[in-house]
Amino acid sequence: MDVLSDLLYRARAKDALVRQLIQRPPWSMTFAEPPPLTLMATLGGPASVRVDGGLDSASLAAGEIVLISGKGAHTIADSLNTPPQVVVEGRTKRVIGGGEATPPLAPRTYGDGLPGATVMLRGAYELRGDVGRRLLEMLPPLAVVPAGPRTGAALDLLAAEVGRDEPGQDAVLARLLDLLLVLALRAWCAGPEADLPAWFRALGDPAVGDALRLMHEDPAQRWTVGALAAKVGMSRAAFAGRFARLVGEPPLAYLTGWRMTVAADLLRDGEESVAAVARAVGYGDAFAFSVAFKRARGVSPSVWRRARAPRN
């Protein structure tokens, strides 16, 4: 599994929520408690998006996709000048000035459906833990992906399915949205505005990219610099220097950081013992793992787990 696929797989807590809006201007909707990652696309009609409390905003053309990262409120509208009419908090809609929210037009489809309406798709992703944060670090608060033939084909498929209500529909929508997200991330990362972390840029190097993939595929393997160098066909010294230059840290420092990221999420989400988590990330000795974890996170694995346990 490649590194981006690994991050997406580990960061997913549950299937995404997909909705369609068909609304004639003027319209404006604020999402007060959005998830960590939102994907939105316009299929036609005027549309704009603004991250509230900041300077990030954009007007969207048909076929463009916007990725919104972070939990701050954001607003979508036909125009940046249209004041909010509806506030969405979680799964509750509140109409500003009173009144009732309009009923759905079709499964997962809202608005008035009148001629001249804007048509938008929205996918909300719940990402988990430290791996989720690592993925979000790749993105600015608002990333606009230009329309393209590959994302356009995926958008057409998602638009054709979102209003249907057939057996397995949630699974179909989740996978189509995943496809659209990966294509959008690819397009954004290849664009001129992307300010990507060093480890992601290093994926383009054949040797260092292969080494990163090996560490992500099997963090429990007892990797050494020599073993990684042999796997990618380089001398130990040449590989170590090249890795540090491209990634910004030595190979084993990167490996330790990735292991602690995986371990933090295992401790938060699972019921395995500290010893089992230690083995899962390459430590045969629970004490050595606890020392490494405390050095990285400032607290012991047990304290980390208790602090993040769900409160009834």
Side-chain angles (χ1 to χ4, degrees):
M1 184 182 293
D2 66 84
V3 176
L4 180 56
S5 296
D6 187 43
L7 286 177
L8 288 166
Y9 173 78
R10 293 179 186 272
R12 284 289 300 278
K14 54 187 176 181
D15 286 341
L17 186 70
V18 185
R19 295 291 184 265
Q20 180 175 223
L21 175 70
I22 306 175
Q23 183 71 45
R24 187 173 60 175
W27 60 271
S28 180
M29 184 178 298
T30 294
F31 294 86
E33 300 174 354
L37 179 62
T38 299
L39 180 152
M40 291 179 22
T42 176
L43 303 180
S48 299
V49 60
R50 179 182 69 249
V51 177
D52 294 1
L55 301 176
D56 298 290
S57 63
S59 296
L60 303 179
E64 288 187 325
I65 297 169
V66 62
L67 301 173
I68 307 170
S69 60
K71 289 192 174 183
H74 63 261
T75 298
I76 60 172
D78 65 300
S79 167
L80 294 174
N81 297 321
T82 303
Q85 300 163 346
V86 175
V87 176
V88 180
E89 297 174 319
R91 298 197 178 190
T92 302
K93 289 184 178 180
R94 176 170 54 85
V95 178
I96 295 178
E100 296 183 358
T102 57
L105 297 172
R108 310 171 197 84
T109 303
Y110 298 86
D112 55 30
L114 296 175
T118 298
V119 182
M120 294 195 73
L121 293 176
R122 179 177 183 269
Y125 273 94
E126 290 290 347
L127 302 179
R128 68 180 183 187
D130 283 34
V131 175
R133 279 191 290 273
R134 191 181 183 97
L135 179 63
L136 292 174
E137 286 171 358
M138 296 169 53
L139 295 169
L142 196 67
V144 178
V145 179
R150 300 185 74 185
T151 54
L155 270 175
D156 290 343
L157 284 172
L158 188 58
E161 292 289 339
V162 68
R164 294 181 180 175
D165 193 11
E166 300 177 6
Q169 198 67 24
D170 287 341
V172 169
L173 292 173
R175 282 154 181 78
L176 287 175
L177 187 62
D178 285 347
L179 171 63
L180 188 58
L181 174 63
V182 172
L183 292 176
L185 284 171
R186 281 181 183 173
W188 164 255
C189 291
E193 297 182 3
D195 184 14
L196 299 170
W199 64 264
F200 189 90
R201 296 195 303 271
L203 294 174
D205 180 88
V208 175
D210 280 350
L212 288 166
R213 176 182 56 79
L214 289 167
M215 286 186 275
H216 276 255
E217 281 183 348
D218 191 4
Q221 177 69 29
R222 296 190 177 183
W223 296 111
T224 64
V225 176
L228 288 166
K231 284 283 190 180
V232 300
M234 294 183 68
S235 71
R236 184 185 185 282
F239 168 72
R242 189 166 175 173
F243 190 102
R245 184 173 67 256
L246 294 179
V247 179
E249 59 183 338
L252 296 189
Y254 179 91
L255 176 61
T256 298
W258 175 239
R259 283 172 167 172
M260 296 304 107
T261 296
V262 173
D265 287 349
L266 289 174
L267 289 165
R268 175 190 289 109
D269 300 331
E271 298 179 355
E272 296 89 351
S273 65
V274 171
V277 173
R279 290 191 296 272
V281 295
Y283 288 82
D285 183 283
F287 177 76
F289 165 69
S290 296
V291 170
F293 190 90
K294 187 171 183 178
R295 186 183 302 120
R297 293 294 188 269
V299 294
S300 71
S302 298
V303 171
W304 174 273
R305 167 173 277 167
R306 287 197 298 272
R308 286 152 183 82
R311 289 174 170 80
N312 297 325

